[in-house]
C-alpha cells in the first residue's frame, strides 16, 4: 500500500492544479468583480456627496475626483461597467489595489506560487488574512459536521441493520416511508420548517433563531455553557441529520442484505451458530466495509457543502457562510484560498478513505488491482 499511497499523493498535485485553473478562469469571466464593486461603491458614495474610502497606492485614499465630470479630453472607454465618468487614474489605482493591473495568467501564476507555501493573502473586504478567517470560522463548521456525522451514523447503521433483518415486514415498509421522505426533501427545507415550528416563526419559540452561543456565554457556568451550546445547535444539527440519514440507512440495509444471502452465512448457520453470532460475528465486518470507509468523503460533503444553506438560514458564522459572502462580494482571495484548502483536504480524505478500506479488510489491495 505504500507505493499506492505515494502515487495517490503525487496525483494530488496535478488534480489540485487542474481544479484551480478551471475555477480561476471561469471566475474571471463572471461579471461584477472586485474592481466593478469598488467602482460601484465610489459612484454610490460620490452620488451622495461622500468621499470614497477606496485606497490607492501607498494606502492613500482615492477621493475628491471621484464625482467630477470629465472633459472631452479626459473621456476614456473603460472595460469595467459603471466606470464612465470616473478619472482613469482612479481606475488604475483600484486595479493596482486588487492586483488587476496584471494580466490574468500572471495573476494566476503568482497566486499558485503563493499557495504552494500556504500564503493566501488578505481578504479584499475584510481586514483579515484568509488563513485567519478560515481558522476563525472553522470551529462552527466542524461542530456542525462532527455532530451531524455522529448522529447520522448512530441512527442509520442500527436502522439499516434492523431493516435488513426485517426485510419485507411492516417495520421495513413504514421505515422506508420515513427514509423516502428524508431523502426527497432537502435539509434546508427542513431547516425552514423547524424555524416555523420551533424558533418563533409561527407556533413555538423554544429555540434561538441565529448564532451558535448566546451573548452572555462567557458569564455562564460550565453547565450553562454546555446547555446554551446545545440549545443553539439543536435545530441546525437536526435539520442536517434529517436530510442526511436516508442515504446511509439504505446503503447499510442493502449492504447487509447482500452479505446475508452469501454462501458463508448459510454455512455459518448450518454449523448451529446463533443468529446474533452470524450477524455480528461474520456479516457485520464485511457489510460495514463500504459504510465505514465512506466516512471521510461523507464528512467532507457535509462539512463543505451540506452545511452551506444551514449556516445561511441560521446565521451561523462558519465556512459555508464565509464562502457564500465571498462569492457574492467577489472576494477572490477568500474564494480561491478556501477552494484550495478544501480541495486539498478532500483529496487527502479520499485517500484516507481508500486506506480505510484496506484497514477494515486487509484482503483489499489496491496495488495488486492496478497491476
Amino acid at each position: 500500500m505504500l507505493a499506492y499511497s505515494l502515487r495517490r499523493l503525487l496525483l494530488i498535485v496535478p488534480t489540485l492544479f487542474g481544479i484551480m485553473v478551471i475555477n480561476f478562469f471561469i471566475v474571471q469571466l463572471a461579471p461584477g468583480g472586485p474592481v466593478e464593486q469598488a467602482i460601484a461603491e465610489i459612484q454610490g458614495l460620490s452620488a451622495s456627496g461622500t468621499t470614497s474610502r477606496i485606497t490607492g497606492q501607498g494606502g492613500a485614499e482615492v477621493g475628491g475626483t471621484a464625482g467630477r465630470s470629465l472633459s472631452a479630453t479626459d473621456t476614456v472607454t473603460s472595460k469595467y461597467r459603471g466606470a464612465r465618468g470616473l478619472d482613469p487614474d482612479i481606475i488604475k489605482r483600484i486595479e493596482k489595489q486588487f492586483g488587476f493591473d496584471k494580466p490574468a495568467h500572471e495573476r494566476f501564476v503568482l497566486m499558485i506560487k503563493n499557495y504552494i507555501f500556504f500564503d493566501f493573502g488578505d481578504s479584499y473586504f475584510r481586514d483579515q488574512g484568509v488563513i485567519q478567517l478560515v481558522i476563525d470560522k472553522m470551529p462552527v463548521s466542524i461542530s456542525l459536521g462532527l455532530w451531524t456525522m455522529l448522529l447520522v451514523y448512530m441512527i442509520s447503521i442500527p436502522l439499516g441493520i434492523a431493516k435488513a433483518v426485517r426485510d419485507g415486514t411492516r417495520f421495513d415498509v413504514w421505515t422506508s416511508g420515513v427514509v423516502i421522505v428524508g431523502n426527497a426533501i432537502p435539509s434546508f427545507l427542513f431547516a425552514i420548517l423547524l424555524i416555523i415550528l420551533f424558533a418563533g416563526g409561527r407556533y413555538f419559540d423554544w429555540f434561538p433563531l441565529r448564532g451558535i452561543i448566546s451573548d452572555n456565554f462567557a458569564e455562564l457556568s460550565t453547565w450553562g455553557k454546555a446547555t446554551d451550546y446545545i440549545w443553539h445547535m439543536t435545530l441546525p444539527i437536526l435539520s442536517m441529520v434529517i436530510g442526511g440519514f436516508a442515504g446511509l440507512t439504505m446503503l447499510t440495509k442493502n449492504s447487509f442484505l447482500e452479505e446475508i444471502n452469501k454462501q458463508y452465512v448459510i454455512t455459518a448457520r448450518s454449523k448451529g451458530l446463533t443468529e446474533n453470532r452470524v450477524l455480528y460475528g461474520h456479516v457485520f465486518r464485511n457489510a460495514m466495509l463500504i459504510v465505514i470507509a465512506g466516512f471521510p468523503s461523507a464528512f467532507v460533503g457535509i462539512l463543505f457543502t451540506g452545511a452551506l444553506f444551514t449556516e445561511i438560514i441560521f446565521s451561523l458564522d462558519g465556512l459555508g457562510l464565509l464562502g457564500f459572502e465571498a462569492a457574492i462580494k467577489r472576494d477572490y482571495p477568500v474564494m480561491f484560498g478556501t477552494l484550495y484548502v478544501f480541495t486539498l483536504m478532500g483529496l487527502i480524505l479520499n485517500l484516507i478513505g481508500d486506506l480505510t478500506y484496506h484497514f477494515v479488510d486487509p484482503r483489499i489491495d489496491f496495488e495488486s488491482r492496478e497491476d
Side-chain angles (χ1 to χ4, degrees):
M1 289 296 293
L2 179 59
Y4 172 78
S5 301
L6 290 175
R7 284 196 295 270
R8 285 290 301 272
L9 287 173
L10 292 175
L11 187 61
I12 287 176
V13 176
T15 304
L16 182 60
F17 180 79
I19 291 173
M20 295 301 298
V21 168
I22 293 172
N23 282 274
F24 180 85
F25 287 101
I26 288 177
V27 168
Q28 304 308 307
L29 299 175
V35 176
E36 286 93 334
Q37 297 214 13
I39 290 172
E41 181 185 353
I42 290 177
Q43 296 283 34
L45 292 173
S46 56
S48 61
T50 308
T51 303
S52 172
R53 291 180 229 171
I54 305 300
T55 57
Q57 188 173 7
E61 288 190 351
V62 176
T65 59
R68 74 172 177 84
S69 300
L70 297 179
S71 64
T73 57
D74 291 331
T75 302
V76 62
T77 301
S78 176
K79 60 183 177 180
Y80 301 111
R81 293 183 180 182
R84 185 176 181 181
L86 282 180
D87 190 328
D89 183 57
I90 294 179
I91 298 176
K92 290 180 180 179
R93 291 185 181 182
I94 296 173
E95 288 180 330
K96 179 76 173 178
Q97 178 181 348
F98 293 118
F100 278 71
D101 55 333
K102 302 181 181 67
H105 67 279
E106 291 186 14
R107 285 187 278 118
F108 177 76
V109 172
L110 179 61
M111 181 184 75
I112 293 298
K113 286 181 179 178
N114 292 332
Y115 281 15
I116 292 175
F117 301 100
F118 291 91
D119 178 11
F120 302 112
D122 297 327
S123 168
Y124 285 158
F125 305 105
R126 298 170 183 254
D127 191 20
Q128 279 185 287
V130 174
I131 285 291
Q132 189 59 48
L133 278 172
V134 172
I135 293 174
D136 291 343
K137 312 301 181 185
M138 185 74 79
V140 175
S141 296
I142 289 180
S143 294
L144 282 173
L146 286 178
W147 283 116
T148 300
M149 287 302 302
L150 178 63
L151 293 176
V152 164
Y153 270 72
M154 288 177 62
I155 295 171
S156 299
I157 292 176
L159 181 59
I161 295 174
K163 286 174 64 62
V165 173
R166 299 171 177 82
D167 184 41
T169 64
R170 183 175 298 180
F171 172 83
D172 183 40
V173 173
W174 283 103
T175 53
S176 294
V178 176
V179 168
I180 290 172
V181 172
N183 192 49
I185 303 179
S187 59
F188 71 89
L189 289 182
F190 277 117
I192 295 173
L193 177 62
L194 291 173
I195 288 175
I196 294 174
L197 293 177
F198 303 114
R202 179 162 185 158
Y203 297 100
F204 305 102
D205 191 8
W206 293 348
F207 295 94
L209 183 59
R210 61 181 62 237
I212 191 172
I213 55 175
S214 299
D215 294 336
N216 63 336
F217 183 80
E219 303 171 2
L220 300 175
S221 64
T222 302
W223 174 251
K225 290 180 179 179
T227 54
D228 182 75
Y229 171 77
I230 294 173
W231 183 49
H232 280 79
M233 295 293 287
T234 297
L235 293 188
I237 292 175
L238 184 59
S239 68
M240 295 178 66
V241 170
I242 292 175
F245 85 100
L248 185 60
T249 299
M250 295 309 299
L251 178 64
T252 304
K253 176 191 173 181
N254 294 333
S255 181
F256 267 80
L257 282 177
E258 182 181 356
E259 293 296 324
I260 287 173
N261 295 322
K262 288 186 176 180
Q263 184 63 42
Y264 75 90
V265 177
I266 298 174
T267 303
R269 284 173 176 164
S270 66
K271 291 180 178 180
L273 298 179
T274 63
E275 193 65 24
N276 284 339
R277 180 71 181 277
V278 172
L279 185 63
Y280 296 104
H282 294 75
V283 176
F284 186 83
R285 189 184 72 170
N286 294 328
M288 289 302 297
L289 173 64
I290 189 171
V291 177
I292 296 174
F295 178 85
S297 58
F299 179 73
V300 171
I302 287 180
L303 184 60
F304 301 135
T305 58
L308 171 61
F309 290 114
T310 302
E311 290 184 10
I312 294 172
I313 292 171
F314 289 99
S315 299
L316 302 177
D317 197 12
L319 295 173
L321 187 59
L322 175 66
F324 174 77
E325 292 177 347
I328 294 298
K329 295 179 180 179
R330 300 296 194 272
D331 196 344
Y332 289 170
V334 176
M335 289 174 60
F336 293 122
T338 52
L339 174 66
Y340 182 89
V341 173
F342 298 161
T343 303
L344 181 60
M345 290 179 62
L347 292 171
I348 293 175
L349 286 174
N350 283 332
L351 173 59
I352 293 174
D354 288 346
L355 297 179
T356 306
Y357 276 105
H358 180 73
F359 176 77
V360 175
D361 190 349
R363 294 173 299 178
I364 297 178
D365 188 355
F366 292 99
E367 292 187 33
S368 62
R369 294 176 68 179
E370 288 185 346
D371 295 336

